[in-house]
């Protein structure tokens, strides 16, 4: 190394870390991304991964089938813990989805160029996570075939939903979120579906992609309205994503149970959601870029930025934990103080300490440049944070419900085999959907990458 | 000139967004108005070069959002006050703060659905076939080439003249687009 060269992590070098590898043209980004879907042979690794995920999804089907035959008694839920795994997993999955919308909407409005190569699969992740989340409240009703009762429809009984209930708000928030995420994702996909239509050789593929692309032809008049619609969707999805986890937190905060009834819940739930969501984006992005040689598109700059967002939201979450403790002690409310003691010394204390370790202590490593640029560390960290965020919901749900106001109402909770089977099964479903998505749709937005190529060329002039 | 119904227009191909904008400006300077451009991604400045006016999508979105929000609120009001009133310790039936979350979600839902459906309707999509697809090289419009089409409906349109204009602008592969 020559004496004049700055060290690798100096500010000069860092600034040069690009969002797109050098030497790409409109044609070559199109070729590279569409080849994953159209021409590259499906690898053995894909089949192995898909088979494992699909088997786990089969486990979920069995678990749900058994649930429908036997009822929710096969789960560990009891009185007082009526919520258990179903709600823990629901909140966890919904939270994971949030990063997708944040990347596609908020970073779009903030004109962050680095979102371009990660927004498509992050949005797909959102949709699949919402699908997994939706399963839990549905089957938790015990009679999922009656779930339409939650929607307002003119029934012969003259009944209407109770619109003052946070659980009904949740129905509207989650279904709106699912719908808008799907619209956003599909609108973004239309030009890319047209690319796949024009580049596929086999007739059936041409017809399928042709129908999905709705005859998109890249007309300037169409782009003109398309851009308006896309910008509006981004503007609408931004408050929506913040509202969804706020409403989810109302499920807890509107109740008077100790540890739930706090005003810090909405912001800290939203931050937690983004935290776990970015962790999940990293968990998916790292193997994806490796498997399909996408290191030029999902660069170290992306991983670095995502790690920074994780660090920032992780600190907000840490602040939330601190304020929960502070408010309990400062208010002097004996039930709240007791709950704090239960978190630190109660039967579920190990979960609480594990949560602090996963969510607060470990991510502090992300302050270091070297750690943020070590792909293996980031991958492990993303999984640690996901475990931590799951533990957070477990702690919130289980400790508060097992230790409320009257000692005679105290209890214990432990999940059964079927609880785990359903939870792990939804992970299988999530991964199955991701595998299928990567195989049949462009995992990176081709049209936006071409735009990025044009912008990069502009800057270099 | 003679109206030729089996011709949709003349199309020329360009290889960069700058050339495309330049060509569109020149074609419009030459007096053509029924001109359209096709590009694999939204090109900055192209709408201005084509003289496109502000579009209707934002207005449709606003109307959709207002409909969703107002409809959502008053539906909840109707349910809670008129259709199914529940007296809970004498609290007011119109407990409007509790109706805000659903009102908000329905505002977003109405606005988002109308923005997307409005955009598709104004663009007349889905449209499985269009004359420009008859041009064999048009498959590149979705990857790396930029096209300008002077449409036969333009009063100034003349097949040879219009093609010559595109040639002067250094378009590649100038083709006539048949209309069937």
């Amino acid at each position: 190394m020559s004496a004049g060269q700055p060290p690798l992590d100096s500010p000069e070098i860092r600034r040069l870390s690009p969002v797109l590898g050098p030497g790409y043209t409109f044609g070559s980004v199109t070729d590279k991304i569409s080849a994953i879907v159209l021409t590259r042979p499906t690898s053995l690794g894909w089949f192995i991964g898909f088979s494992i995920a699909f088997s786990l999804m089969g486990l979920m089907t069995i678990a749900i089938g058994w649930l429908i035959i036997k009822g929710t008694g096969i789960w560990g839920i009891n009185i007082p813990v009526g919520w258990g795994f179903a709600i823990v997993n629901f909140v966890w999955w919904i939270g994971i989805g949030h990063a997708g919308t944040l990347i596609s909407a908020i970073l779009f409005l903030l004109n962050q160029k680095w979102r371009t190569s990660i927004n498509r699969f992050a949005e797909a992740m959102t949709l699949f996570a919402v699908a997994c989340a939706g399963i839990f409240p549905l089957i938790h009703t015990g009679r999922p075939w009656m779930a339409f009762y939650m929607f307002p429809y003119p029934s012969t009984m003259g009944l209407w939903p109770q619109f003052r209930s946070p659980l009904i708000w949740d129905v509207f928030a989650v279904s709106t979120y699912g719908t808008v995420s799907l619209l956003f994702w599909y609108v973004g996909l239309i030009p890319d579906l047209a690319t796949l239509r024009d580049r596929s050789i086999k007739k059936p593929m041409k017809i399928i992609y042709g129908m999905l692309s709705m005859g998109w032809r890249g007309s300037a008049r169409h782009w003109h309205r398309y851009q308006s619609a896309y910008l509006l969707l981004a503007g609408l999805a931004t408050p929506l994503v913040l509202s969804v986890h706020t409403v989810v937190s109302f499920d807890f905060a509107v109740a008077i149970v100790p540890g739930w009834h706090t005003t810090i819940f909405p912001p800290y739930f939203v931050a937690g959601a983004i935290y776990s969501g970015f962790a999940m984006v990293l968990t998916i992005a790292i193997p994806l870029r490796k498997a399909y040689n996408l290191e030029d598109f999902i660069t170290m700059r992306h991983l670095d930025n995502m790690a920074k967002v994780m660090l920032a939201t992780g600190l907000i979450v840490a602040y939330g934990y601190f304020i929960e403790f502070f408010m309990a002690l400062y208010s002097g409310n004996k039930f709240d103080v007791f709950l704090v003691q239960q978190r630190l010394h109660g039967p579920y204390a190990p979960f609480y300490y594990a949560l602090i370790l996963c969510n607060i202590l470990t991510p502090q490593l992300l302050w270091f440049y070297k750690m943020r640029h070590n792909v293996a560390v980031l991958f492990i960290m993303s999984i640690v944070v996901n475990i931590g965020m799951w533990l957070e919901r477990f702690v919130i749900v289980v400790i508060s419900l097992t230790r409320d106001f009257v000692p005679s109402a105290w209890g214990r909770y432990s999940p059964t085999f079927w609880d785990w089977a359903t939870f792990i099964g939804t992970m299988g479903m999530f991964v199955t959907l991701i595998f299928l998505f990567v195989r049949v749709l462009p995992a990176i937005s081709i049209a936006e990458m071409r735009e990025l190529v044009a912008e990069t060329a502009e800057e270099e002039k | 000139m003679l109206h030729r119904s089996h011709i949709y227009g003349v199309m020329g191909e360009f290889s960069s967004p700058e050339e495309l904008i330049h060509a569109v400006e020149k074609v419009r300077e030459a007096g053509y108005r029924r001109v359209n451009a096709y590009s694999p991604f939204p090109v900055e400045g192209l709408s201005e070069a084509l003289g496109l006016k502000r579009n209707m999508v934002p207005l449709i979105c606003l109307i959709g959002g207002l409909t969703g929000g107002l409809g959502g609120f008053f539906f909840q009001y109707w349910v809670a006050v008129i259709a199914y009133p529940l007296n809970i310790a004498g609290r007011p039936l119109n407990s409007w703060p509790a109706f805000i979350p659903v009102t908000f979600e329905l505002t977003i839902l109405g606005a988002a659905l109308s923005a997307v459906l409005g955009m598709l309707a104004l663009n007349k999509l889905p449209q499985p076939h269009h004359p420009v697809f008859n041009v064999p090289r048009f498959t590149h419009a979705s990857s790396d080439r930029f096209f300008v089409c002077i449409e036969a409906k333009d009063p100034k349109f003349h097949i040879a003249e219009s093609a010559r204009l595109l040639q002067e602008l250094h378009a590649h592969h100038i083709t006539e687009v048949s209309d069937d």
Side-chain angles (χ1 to χ4, degrees):
Chain A
M1 199 169 109
S2 69
Q5 215 173 343
L8 263 177
D9 57 346
S10 73
E12 293 77 38
I13 296 288
R14 282 189 208 181
R15 211 178 308 129
L16 293 175
S17 177
V19 281
L20 176 69
Y24 279 99
T25 63
F26 305 129
S28 65
V29 286
T30 309
D31 285 340
K32 187 156 181 180
I33 303 170
S34 62
I36 296 173
V37 179
L38 295 175
T39 52
R40 275 172 76 142
T42 312
S43 64
L44 184 66
W46 188 92
F47 280 110
I48 294 171
F50 180 80
S51 315
I52 296 170
F54 195 68
S55 315
L56 291 175
M57 188 176 155
L59 179 67
M60 178 191 84
T61 321
I62 294 168
I64 293 177
W66 188 236
L67 177 88
I68 287 172
I69 294 167
K70 297 293 280 185
T72 47
I74 65 168
W75 287 349
I77 51 172
N78 53 37
I79 300 298
V81 187
W83 275 12
F85 256 40
I87 300 300
V88 173
N89 299 339
F90 164 72
V91 178
W92 187 71
W93 275 120
I94 280 283
I96 283 171
H98 278 48
T101 321
L102 184 106
I103 290 169
S104 54
I106 300 182
L107 296 185
F108 179 75
L109 294 181
L110 297 176
N111 207 5
Q112 293 291 311
K113 271 186 207 155
W114 62 276
R115 85 183 252 290
T116 302
S117 49
I118 51 173
N119 69 332
R120 169 68 46 74
F121 74 82
E123 285 167 37
M125 179 198 82
T126 296
L127 279 177
F128 304 153
V130 171
C132 291
I135 290 175
F136 285 101
L138 191 69
I139 57 178
H140 191 217
T141 57
R143 294 179 197 162
W145 52 93
M146 307 294 254
F148 62 90
Y149 271 31
M150 288 183 285
F151 287 98
Y153 70 100
S155 72
T156 49
M157 298 170 288
L159 278 170
W160 291 98
Q162 174 54 281
F163 283 111
R164 299 178 188 98
S165 161
L167 297 178
I168 286 296
W169 303 346
D170 228 13
V171 172
F172 280 84
V174 173
S175 52
T176 300
Y177 185 48
T179 313
V180 174
S181 303
L182 181 67
L183 285 176
F184 205 12
W185 186 64
Y186 183 64
V187 168
L189 265 170
I190 292 173
D192 286 2
L193 290 166
T195 302
L196 293 181
R197 169 199 68 202
D198 291 342
R199 297 177 75 87
S200 48
I201 298 145
K202 289 181 200 140
K203 191 85 184 168
M205 305 304 280
K206 257 190 158 31
I207 292 171
I208 293 169
Y209 288 125
M211 288 203 292
L212 290 173
S213 70
M214 301 203 281
W216 182 262
R217 49 186 189 273
S219 154
R221 289 180 164 76
H222 289 183
W223 279 123
H224 187 54
R225 299 190 188 100
Y226 177 95
Q227 283 187 296
S228 297
Y230 199 79
L231 184 63
L232 286 166
L233 276 182
L236 291 166
T238 299
L240 176 66
V241 67
L242 300 180
S243 84
V244 174
H245 233 58
T246 301
V247 168
V248 170
S249 83
F250 286 163
D251 291 343
F252 299 91
V254 171
I256 55 164
V257 177
W260 290 4
H261 192 59
T262 63
T263 48
I264 192 75
F265 258 39
Y268 130 71
F269 262 55
V270 172
I274 293 166
Y275 188 37
S276 64
F278 267 88
M280 191 57 103
V281 175
L282 277 175
T283 314
I284 299 169
I286 289 170
L288 181 75
R289 73 199 277 272
K290 184 92 188 143
Y292 291 104
N293 311 320
L294 295 172
E295 282 94 344
D296 283 344
F297 294 168
I298 305 172
T299 64
M300 283 318 290
R301 168 91 168 270
H302 294 98
L303 303 187
D304 183 66
N305 282 355
M306 286 193 269
K308 283 177 184 162
V309 175
M310 263 171 64
L311 180 60
T313 46
L315 291 172
I316 302 176
V317 169
Y319 173 77
Y321 298 158
F322 168 75
I323 284 293
E324 276 188 321
F325 268 38
F326 175 76
M327 289 315 288
L329 300 175
Y330 187 67
S331 71
N333 179 312
K334 64 178 175 183
F335 297 109
D336 283 341
V337 175
F338 179 68
L339 192 84
V340 166
Q341 288 168 350
Q342 284 299 310
R343 283 189 178 175
L344 294 176
H345 309 295
Y348 296 100
F351 291 91
Y352 190 73
Y353 292 114
L355 149 73
I356 297 293
L357 181 71
C358 292
N359 273 359
I360 300 184
L361 297 179
T362 328
Q364 300 310 317
L365 286 175
L366 295 174
W367 284 103
F368 301 101
Y369 180 83
K370 282 225 171 76
M371 292 294 160
R372 292 199 307 271
H373 281 246
N374 185 329
V375 177
V377 168
L378 281 181
F379 186 69
I380 295 167
M381 190 83 78
S382 70
I383 289 172
V384 167
V385 169
N386 271 319
I387 296 171
M389 287 308 295
W390 186 86
L391 287 169
E392 178 198 300
R393 280 66 182 251
F394 185 87
V395 161
I396 290 172
V397 169
V398 173
I399 299 188
S400 286
L401 285 178
T402 49
R403 288 290 181 271
D404 70 357
F405 304 98
V406 198
S408 62
W410 290 356
R412 280 295 180 91
Y413 170 78
S414 60
T416 62
F417 168 77
W418 294 108
D419 279 305
W420 285 111
T422 317
F423 179 40
I424 292 168
T426 52
M427 287 191 219
M429 174 171 135
F430 180 76
V431 179
T432 303
L433 290 169
I434 293 275
F435 267 93
L436 288 175
F437 159 70
V438 170
R439 192 67 199 82
V440 301
L441 290 170
I444 294 178
S445 169
I446 312 176
E448 287 186 33
M449 286 306 276
R450 287 188 289 247
E451 231 178 322
L452 189 68
V453 169
E455 282 168 15
T456 316
E458 194 92 332
E459 275 167 19
E460 278 166 8
K461 268 181 201 155
Chain B
M1 67 147 273
L2 193 77
H3 185 65
R4 300 174 62 174
S5 63
H6 60 289
I7 294 287
Y8 175 78
V10 185
M11 190 178 255
E13 181 184 320
F14 297 89
S15 48
S16 79
E18 294 80 19
E19 288 175 46
L20 176 75
I21 289 187
H22 175 74
V24 167
E25 281 168 353
K26 289 290 173 202
V27 169
R28 279 182 56 89
E29 270 172 33
Y32 291 101
R33 286 296 168 268
R34 304 275 319 202
V35 186
N36 203 358
Y38 300 87
S39 60
F41 58 88
V43 173
E44 214 179 318
L46 185 58
S47 302
E48 290 76 10
L50 278 166
L52 299 185
K53 285 184 281 233
R54 289 179 59 184
N55 65 64
M56 296 281 285
V57 173
L59 182 67
I60 295 174
C61 175
L62 177 71
I63 294 169
L66 287 175
T67 312
L70 292 173
F73 183 84
F74 287 106
F75 175 69
Q76 292 178 81
Y77 176 87
W78 178 78
V79 165
V81 179
I82 297 160
Y84 204 79
L86 285 169
N87 185 343
I88 299 160
R91 289 186 180 82
L93 291 174
N94 178 23
S95 55
W96 67 266
F99 302 155
I100 296 301
V102 172
T103 306
F104 174 81
E105 302 298 340
L106 291 175
T107 309
I108 300 279
L109 185 65
L113 279 173
S114 50
V116 173
L117 297 178
M119 181 271 284
L120 292 175
L122 292 172
N123 284 346
K124 299 193 177 62
L125 294 175
Q127 181 182 0
H129 188 70
H130 188 272
V132 293
F133 289 125
N134 291 329
V135 177
R137 286 194 54 88
F138 193 73
T139 50
H140 287 270
S142 66
S143 64
D144 57 352
R145 287 289 182 270
F146 304 80
F147 293 83
V148 172
C149 183
I150 303 176
E151 291 168 16
K153 282 182 189 153
D154 194 293
K156 269 198 80 179
F157 182 81
H158 182 279
I159 235 187
E161 289 289 321
S162 306
R164 193 170 312 124
L165 175 64
L166 288 173
Q167 200 162 22
E168 280 164 18
L169 295 164
H170 309 295
H172 324 285
H173 304 282
I174 298 163
T175 32
E176 66 179 60
V177 186
S178 70
D179 187 9
D180 55 16

